[in-house]
């Protein structure tokens, strides 16, 4: 029979075991806290809990029926805000590209020649939309960051945010980017939007955005990858899912950018196609208010499910 010497509580091996146990407990605690935050954007977890949270679902029969407001209204909101952003940029830089000058002369003839414009995205949003949204710690327990209406008033049926990120068609690879990524949004038709602003997702977006420039003109906005996006709507990936205790006040709506969308304003779109060969219109996802929302309220979204 083999016998082993007893270890005293002060022996080096015993102390090592205690240290390892403390490290293990600490690691498990960090994983648990991370999961509590992650699950609020983790689609499989949401799907498995739908039966417990029926109020979080919005049923649609097909993609065209997910529209709370017409695409034309979404376009009008984006054109209005992006036009103010462009004019603000021009006012602070004292120079303008030739193609931009043509566009600016057109809109200036229509409205407010000589008017001073706000100098940042948040001010521009308040100026032309009547409200501001921003990221702050969520009121939802353990949910991390959320999105709040910080100023003004949001009427029902208003485009209140955009879901930024790289757009993947259903047959395009996203495995590596999706690992430990809670920001992958799935559209009704299987298109995916990766809204992660860190790691490999960030590098992919910046690479695709640089690839798609048309001469001196960018056709997408990379500033949403920073703490200060020039398009203040581009914070939709941080809107948390609703629950029975925190009902939804916004919903997702898919929006394909029309071919007529001005080139000068595409620099503010926070989305880019993963594949340069994609023949489909650029897919964007906006969040639309389900009711009137006042300053101080956090935005909570619901998921739609396709019924046949």
């Amino acid at each position: 029979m083999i016998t082993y010497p007893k270890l005293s509580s002060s022996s080096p091996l015993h102390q090592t075991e205690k240290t390892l146990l403390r490290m293990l407990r600490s690691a498990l605690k960090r994983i648990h806290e991370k999961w509590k935050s992650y699950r609020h954007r983790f689609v499989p977890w949401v799907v498995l809990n739908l039966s417990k949270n029926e109020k979080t679902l919005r049923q649609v029969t097909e993609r065209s029926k997910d529209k709370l407001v017409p695409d034309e209204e979404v376009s009008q909101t984006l054109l209005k805000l992006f036009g103010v952003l462009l004019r603000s940029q021009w006012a602070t830089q004292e120079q303008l590209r030739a193609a931009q000058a043509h566009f600016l002369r057109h809109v200036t003839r229509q409205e407010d020649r000589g008017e001073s414009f706000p100098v940042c995205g948040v001010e521009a949003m308040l100026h032309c939309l009547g409200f501001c949204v921003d990221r702050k710690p969520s009121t939802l327990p353990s949910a991390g960051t959320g999105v709040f209406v910080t100023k003004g008033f949001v009427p029902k049926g208003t485009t209140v945010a955009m879901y930024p990120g790289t757009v993947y068609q259903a047959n395009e690879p996203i495995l590596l980017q999706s690992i430990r990524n809670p920001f992958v949004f799935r559209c009704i038709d299987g298109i995916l939007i990766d809204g992660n602003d860190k790691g490999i997702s960030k590098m992919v977006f910046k690479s695709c955005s640089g690839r798609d420039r048309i001469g001196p003109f960018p056709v997408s906005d990379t500033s949403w990858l920073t703490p200060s996006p020039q398009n203040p709507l581009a914070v939709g990936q941080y809107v948390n899912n609703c629950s029975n205790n925190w009902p939804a006040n916004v919903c997702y709506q898919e929006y394909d950018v029309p071919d007529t969308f001005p080139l000068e304003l595409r620099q503010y779109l926070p989305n880019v196609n993963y594949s340069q060969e994609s023949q489909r219109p650029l897919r964007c996802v906006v969040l639309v208010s389900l009711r009137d929302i006042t300053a101080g309220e956090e935005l909570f979204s619901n998921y739609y499910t396709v019924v046949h």
Side-chain angles (χ1 to χ4, degrees):
M1 184 178 73
I2 301 175
T3 59
Y4 299 93
K6 292 184 178 180
L7 298 175
S8 67
S9 61
S10 60
S11 68
L13 184 57
H14 185 81
Q15 293 299 324
T16 300
E17 290 176 341
K18 291 176 64 177
T19 301
L20 289 174
L21 285 173
R22 282 197 299 269
M23 292 173 62
L24 179 60
R25 282 195 293 266
S26 177
L28 289 174
K29 183 178 180 180
R30 287 196 301 271
I31 293 171
H32 179 65
E33 292 299 321
K34 186 77 173 177
W35 165 248
K36 287 198 296 183
S37 173
Y38 178 82
R39 66 184 184 182
H40 294 289
R41 299 189 182 94
F42 183 53
V43 175
W45 182 85
V46 174
V47 171
L48 289 173
N49 285 271
L50 289 179
S51 60
K52 302 177 183 177
N53 291 316
E54 293 182 357
K55 294 180 181 179
T56 67
L57 277 178
R58 183 166 63 95
Q59 295 185 344
V60 298
T61 55
E62 55 187 88
R63 180 172 174 262
S64 61
K65 301 296 179 62
D66 85 310
K67 311 292 185 184
L68 187 67
V69 299
D71 282 350
E72 292 75 15
E73 289 188 23
V74 175
S75 291
Q76 289 172 10
T77 298
L78 299 184
L79 291 172
K80 184 178 180 181
L81 175 61
F82 293 177
V84 172
L85 291 173
L86 183 63
R87 284 172 277 166
S88 301
Q89 179 181 334
W90 170 65
T92 57
Q93 290 182 351
E94 298 183 351
Q95 54 191 9
L96 191 64
R97 301 179 182 97
Q100 288 177 319
H102 172 75
F103 173 76
L104 288 175
R105 284 196 298 272
H106 173 69
V107 297
T108 304
R109 281 197 301 269
Q110 292 180 328
E111 60 185 69
D112 47 40
R113 178 183 292 273
E115 180 182 348
S116 60
F117 291 98
V119 296
C120 70
V122 172
E123 290 181 6
M125 190 177 196
L126 185 62
H127 173 80
C128 69
L129 301 184
F131 63 90
C132 297
V133 296
D134 201 2
R135 290 169 287 189
K136 295 168 57 178
S138 176
T139 56
L140 195 64
S142 305
T145 301
V147 177
F148 291 77
V149 176
T150 55
K151 293 181 181 179
F153 172 79
V154 181
K156 178 180 178 180
T158 300
T159 300
V160 69
M162 301 182 71
Y163 199 102
T166 306
V167 180
Y168 293 82
Q169 303 302 317
N171 62 336
E172 292 176 341
I174 192 176
L175 176 61
L176 291 179
Q177 299 91 310
S178 67
I179 296 174
R180 300 182 63 186
N181 184 355
F183 296 106
V184 178
F185 181 91
R186 188 182 188 279
C187 297
I188 292 175
D189 56 3
I191 289 178
L192 301 175
I193 301 180
D194 181 5
N196 194 353
D197 55 11
K198 297 178 177 62
I200 187 173
S201 299
K202 178 178 181 178
M203 292 187 290
V204 168
F205 187 94
K206 293 180 72 173
S207 175
C208 293
S209 180
R211 173 201 68 197
D212 291 346
R213 291 179 69 95
I214 300 177
F217 298 104
V219 293
S220 57
D221 175 25
T222 60
S223 69
W224 70 271
L225 298 166
T226 72
S228 303
Q230 62 176 348
N231 173 6
L233 291 173
V235 293
Q237 79 276 35
Y238 283 103
V239 173
N240 284 303
N241 298 319
C242 65
S243 68
N244 287 329
N245 295 326
W246 286 271
N249 50 18
V250 296
C251 66
Y252 296 108
Q253 178 170 314
E254 298 172 16
Y255 167 74
D256 287 341
V257 179
D259 293 337
T260 55
F261 202 90
L263 174 63
E264 300 89 350
L265 301 184
R266 288 179 178 260
Q267 62 180 302
Y268 301 109
L269 291 171
N271 298 94
V272 66
N273 282 317
Y274 175 74
S275 173
Q276 191 175 26
E277 286 74 34
S278 177
Q279 300 300 313
R280 302 183 62 168
L282 177 66
R283 172 65 53 82
C284 293
V285 170
V286 298
L287 288 100
V288 178
S289 55
L290 292 168
R291 60 170 175 80
D292 294 346
I293 306 174
T294 57
E297 289 191 65
E298 182 174 359
L299 303 182
F300 292 108
S301 63
N302 61 10
Y303 272 89
Y304 43 53
T305 181
V306 180
V307 294
H308 301 284

